[in-house]
Amino acid sequence: CSAFSELQVKMIDTQQKVKIADLQIDQLGRVQKHNKLTQAEIATLPNNTRLYEGVGRMFILQSKEEINNLLLDKQKTADNKIKELEV
């Protein structure tokens, strides 16, 4: 009887962990979609457009290339986290 109870507790714990992982994957998917949309918008802008990165309560002037690289880094990070969570 105690083995069954332990197994049931483990099953519930595992189900909760899976739900949390699924929620995190959904959140990372939204981050990826946001990054792709932002990259698509930035691609349409002229190269001399002044772009700013939001940092805390301020904005820092960045080049189009730097902003694009930041978005690519965020994309790679999200991809890696999704792969980890899926395992």
Side-chain angles (χ1 to χ4, degrees):
C1 234
S2 68
F4 179 74
S5 296
E6 288 178 28
L7 186 60
Q8 198 169 20
V9 168
K10 285 182 182 179
M11 183 184 76
I12 291 170
D13 185 49
T14 302
Q15 286 174 339
Q16 289 174 342
K17 287 179 182 177
V18 168
K19 284 181 185 178
I20 290 171
D22 287 343
L23 290 172
Q24 289 174 331
I25 289 171
D26 288 344
Q27 171 64 26
L28 291 167
R30 285 191 292 277
V31 167
Q32 287 180 318
K33 187 174 183 178
H34 182 265
N35 285 342
K36 287 178 184 176
L37 290 171
T38 304
Q39 283 176 313
E41 285 297 317
I42 288 174
T44 64
L45 300 172
N47 286 334
N48 62 348
T49 303
R50 295 170 65 99
L51 300 174
Y52 296 87
E53 175 191 5
V55 180
R57 294 184 182 185
M58 64 182 177
F59 297 93
I60 298 176
L61 181 63
Q62 299 279 16
S63 71
K64 186 175 172 180
E65 183 181 344
E66 288 171 323
I67 295 289
N68 199 35
N69 288 340
L70 288 170
L71 292 169
L72 288 173
D73 287 343
K74 287 181 183 178
Q75 194 76 15
K76 288 177 187 175
T77 301
D79 287 340
N80 290 338
K81 287 182 181 178
I82 287 174
K83 288 177 186 174
E84 288 174 15
L85 289 169
E86 287 176 341
V87 172

